[in-house]
Amino acid sequence: MKAPSVSDDVIALARQKAIDHLVSLQDSDGWWKGELETNVTMDAEDLLMRQFLGIREPVGTAETAAWIRSQQREDGTWATFYGGPGELSTTVEAYTALKVAGDSPDADHMVRARQFILDNGGIEKTRVFTRIWLALFGEWSWDRLPVLPPEMILLPKWFPLNIYDWGCWARQTVVPLTIVGSMRPQRPLGVSVSELKTGRPDEPFEPALSWAGFFQRLDKVLHLHARLPIKPLREYSIRKAMKWILERQEADGGWGGIQPPWVYSILALHLRGYPLDHPVLRKALAGLESFTIKEDGIRRLEACQSPVWDTALAVTALLDAGMPPDDPVLKGAGNWLLDEEVTVRGDWAVRRPSLPPGGWAFEFENDNYPDVDDTAEIVLALRRMLPADEPAVRRAVEWTIGMQSRDGGWAAFDADNTRRLAEKLPFCDFGAVIDPPSADVTAHVVEMLAHEGLSALQPARRGIKWLLDNQEADGSWFGRWGANHIYGTGAVVPALIAAGLPTVHPAIRRSVKWLERHQNADGGWGEDLRSYRDKSWVGRGDSTASQTAWALLALLAAGERGAVTERGIRWLVATQRDDGTWDEPQFTGTGFPGDFYINYHLYRLVFPLTALGRYLDG
């Protein structure tokens, strides 16, 4: 029997509850910021960093350990996302942190974790970053880690494997790590985790004529160089790397607004003689505290924060929900966003030296790395509230157009950051290390250009072609920064429609059919993060509020208001909480596809509100 439709009055009530809840979360300065939840490696590495620096203290240790224990699963493991499988490196880091915190290796939770670790290859099978942390304390040999020499900083920007061939997050991590690795420090851990080793030898080299085999053999040469460096050149390189790091410290004390370069820069500077009370390190450590959440006897660390992104999405949601542009809530947000405009040159200028600055970053303080995705979404939001000649918007549009890559697409932070050679290095066994164009970012730019009246011009036409050329065979689009094909499709379809493609275009029809095929029996949509590695999970997973909203945004843009769309709307209304938001423990954000995932706590509210608003407006 066909389920009854939900009346517009009921949907409007759900929309109003969501509006009220979202407005209640706004800061008095005009911004929104939901928690950005990741996994316990952030907390384990924070504890280990404090052990290395000699600043670990009992209360913070106990609170961190309590959080790590609370996230352990029944099988003794820790995962990288809610509901995901146990992950070896994450479990090794969590186990190590808990042992440092005083947990007995004979405790049941430690025994279960250790058994999983040994069954899955032990420390020997962990990622390079985990083994670097263990090497810092003598629990792993620096000789058994890949070498990245500090002399990399001297490579010109046209030369393969220069630091600007790496994505911005990767280069900011690699530069300090070249210093740390060259110094090969060892400090007391206070305990040993040798019980996590299996004693298995290293894997044999790949064939010499393969890229992997070539770089494995090159790494052996670099190890020889590391033991007998040309001392004046080594010292010059380290000093240049130090200068590069110091020039990129942000106003909040961090680097790039994200945990890895922040922590490794602290370690590098300290190893080079900066005392902890030096203004640079004092500011860096204080900034980390602003990324710390403390509640109910636990302490956890956000890998980064997303106020600018969250505020742009919240503004769009409220506008789509019918809030007038001159409402004080939106005016406050608009003014705050204008104040956050980036007007200085950052690393992006290496590839675009003649492009004037503009746009926005993700964080409160991240002026060195504005990003195209934030900028496109903010322009889309501000354009609906500000005069047509607003200078900040004009600068942002010009900067975004200038950041188009040669292939016609847009990436998040850099242009033409597409050399894949870095991915072949033995060091690079975790996370994306380059920043090529992606469907979701390109779609947001194309949509922005369309709303600016620029969809007929060459940059937009090239972006549209890029999107059409990169549609998957099944009709979906890959999602780089959100999970996964639902996110990509939910971004691309509204952009193509805004840019003038008719709803009967074959690409649109294929995407609609894909969404229809992947709707869950309950009416919602979900895609498990395992889809990044296992194609059997593409478009498949528990229904979530954010992913259901993404699917609805695509369907509504495509003119689909039939049974499939109604079932999705009905699912959102039925699962809304009394306070106006939705439960969503699942992670639907992506940091590094296949490796690092994010639960943006505001996604569960802003995207459903946008979908409800657009449904009622149609």
Side-chain angles (χ1 to χ4, degrees), residues 187-201:
R187 293 187 180 177
L189 184 61
V191 296
S192 173
V193 291
S194 60
E195 68 271 20
L196 302 183
K197 297 177 182 177
T198 65
R200 294 172 183 166

Side-chain angles (χ1 to χ4, degrees), residues 59 229 262 361 458 556:
V59 174
W262 202 323
Q458 187 184 41
L556 291 168

Side-chain angles (χ1 to χ4, degrees), residues 336-388:
W336 183 81
L337 285 171
L338 288 174
D339 288 342
E340 290 296 306
E341 182 194 8
V342 175
T343 58
V344 298
R345 301 169 71 79
D347 276 3
W348 54 268
V350 170
R351 297 282 187 243
R352 295 292 184 268
S354 61
L355 182 63
W360 284 267
F362 191 69
E363 308 268 1
F364 285 117
E365 304 290 350
N366 195 11
D367 286 356
N368 285 309
Y369 297 99
D371 73 272
V372 170
D373 214 11
D374 272 275
T375 300
E377 288 297 319
I378 291 165
V379 170
L380 280 166
L382 290 181
R383 177 56 78 204
R384 297 164 69 178
M385 300 191 296
L386 299 175

Side-chain angles (χ1 to χ4, degrees), residues 552-568:
L552 288 169
L553 293 177
L555 291 171
L556 291 168
E560 298 294 315
R561 302 185 68 84
V564 171
T565 300
E566 284 195 11
R567 290 180 63 221

Side-chain angles (χ1 to χ4, degrees), residues 361-605:
F362 191 69
E363 308 268 1
F364 285 117
E365 304 290 350
N366 195 11
D367 286 356
N368 285 309
Y369 297 99
D371 73 272
V372 170
D373 214 11
D374 272 275
T375 300
E377 288 297 319
I378 291 165
V379 170
L380 280 166
L382 290 181
R383 177 56 78 204
R384 297 164 69 178
M385 300 191 296
L386 299 175
D389 60 350
E390 169 56 49
V393 172
R394 174 177 46 78
R395 286 190 293 267
V397 172
E398 292 173 356
W399 179 79
T400 302
I401 291 173
M403 291 295 289
Q404 188 171 29
S405 290
R406 285 190 293 266
D407 65 4
W410 278 270
F413 295 94
D414 284 305
D416 297 321
N417 187 255
T418 55
R419 289 180 178 171
R420 297 195 173 276
L421 198 57
E423 298 175 335
K424 311 296 184 183
L425 296 175
F427 181 87
C428 297
D429 66 351
F430 175 80
V433 295
I434 62 173
D435 184 20
S438 67
D440 40 323
V441 177
T442 300
H444 292 153
V445 175
V446 167
E447 184 177 9
M448 179 268 284
L449 293 176
H451 285 281
E452 289 295 300
L454 302 174
S455 58
L457 300 185
Q458 187 184 41
R461 304 319 296 175
R462 293 177 64 221
I464 293 166
K465 183 180 184 301
W466 190 97
L467 290 172
L468 294 175
D469 289 346
N470 284 274
Q471 187 176 25
E472 303 290 328
D474 62 8
S476 67
W477 278 271
F478 177 84
R480 164 61 180 88
W481 296 98
N484 172 354
H485 294 258
I486 295 176
Y487 182 72
T489 306
V492 173
V493 174
L496 292 178
I497 297 296
L501 263 69
T503 60
V504 296
H505 190 283
I508 302 299
R509 289 298 94 203
R510 287 197 300 272
S511 66
V512 168
K513 292 296 184 185
W514 185 85
L515 288 168
E516 290 175 347
R517 289 196 306 273
H518 290 87
Q519 186 175 32
N520 288 332
D522 61 10
W525 281 266
E527 184 171 356
D528 191 281
L529 288 158
R530 278 170 279 202
S531 67
Y532 282 107
R533 293 194 183 275
D534 181 352
K535 295 303 181 185
S536 69
W537 283 97
V538 168
R540 185 165 69 88
D542 294 336
S543 296
T544 70
S546 59
Q547 290 169 317
T548 297
W550 296 336
L552 288 169
L553 293 177
L555 291 171
L556 291 168
E560 298 294 315
R561 302 185 68 84
V564 171
T565 300
E566 284 195 11
R567 290 180 63 221
I569 292 292
R570 188 164 61 246
W571 186 89
L572 284 180
V573 172
T575 57
Q576 187 180 36
R577 294 178 2 170
D578 290 341
D579 65 358
T581 188
W582 283 260
D583 287 320
E584 188 170 282
Q586 295 88 351
F587 288 30
T588 64
T590 307
F592 304 140
D595 291 299
F596 188 78
Y597 303 111
I598 301 167
N599 184 341
Y600 291 93
H601 283 206
L602 214 61
Y603 275 17
R604 66 193 67 171
L605 177 57

Side-chain angles (χ1 to χ4, degrees), residues 16-170:
Q16 188 59 51
K17 288 165 62 178
I19 291 171
D20 293 342
H21 189 82
L22 182 56
V23 169
S24 75
L25 299 176
Q26 187 180 30
D27 186 84
S28 59
D29 286 339
W31 49 264
W32 282 267
K33 182 178 77 67
E35 181 179 345
L36 196 149
E37 180 184 353
T38 55
N39 66 69
V40 299
T41 58
M42 299 297 102
D43 312 288
E45 291 173 8
D46 183 67
L47 189 149
L48 293 174
M49 179 198 72
R50 294 173 186 280
Q51 174 72 18
F52 187 84
L53 297 176
I55 58 173
R56 183 171 65 83
E57 43 82 29
V59 174
T61 297
E63 291 174 340
T64 297
W67 171 247
I68 294 173
R69 282 188 220 103
S70 75
Q71 299 304 296
Q72 189 177 25
R73 294 133 47 92
E74 285 298 318
D75 63 1
T77 67
W78 285 264
T80 57
F81 61 92
Y82 177 88
E87 204 278 321
L88 175 62
S89 296
T90 305
T91 301
V92 167
E93 293 187 29
Y95 179 100
T96 302
L98 289 179
K99 194 168 183 184
V100 169
D103 287 22
S104 169
D106 297 325
D108 178 66
H109 67 289
M110 299 287 276
V111 171
R112 287 184 287 121
R114 184 167 64 250
Q115 190 61 54
F116 170 83
I117 292 167
L118 295 174
D119 287 347
N120 286 272
I123 291 173
E124 292 87 342
K125 288 290 187 180
T126 58
R127 58 180 169 250
V128 168
F129 279 93
T130 298
R131 284 178 280 136
I132 287 173
W133 278 104
L134 295 174
L136 288 168
F137 299 101
E139 293 294 311
W140 189 258
S141 171
W142 286 104
D143 290 334
R144 295 178 70 185
L145 285 167
V147 170
L148 288 177
E151 288 82 359
M152 283 178 58
I153 196 75
L154 305 179
L155 296 176
K157 63 183 179 181
W158 53 264
F159 197 87
L161 296 177
N162 75 88
I163 61 170
Y164 297 104
D165 275 1
W166 305 69
C168 73
W169 57 88

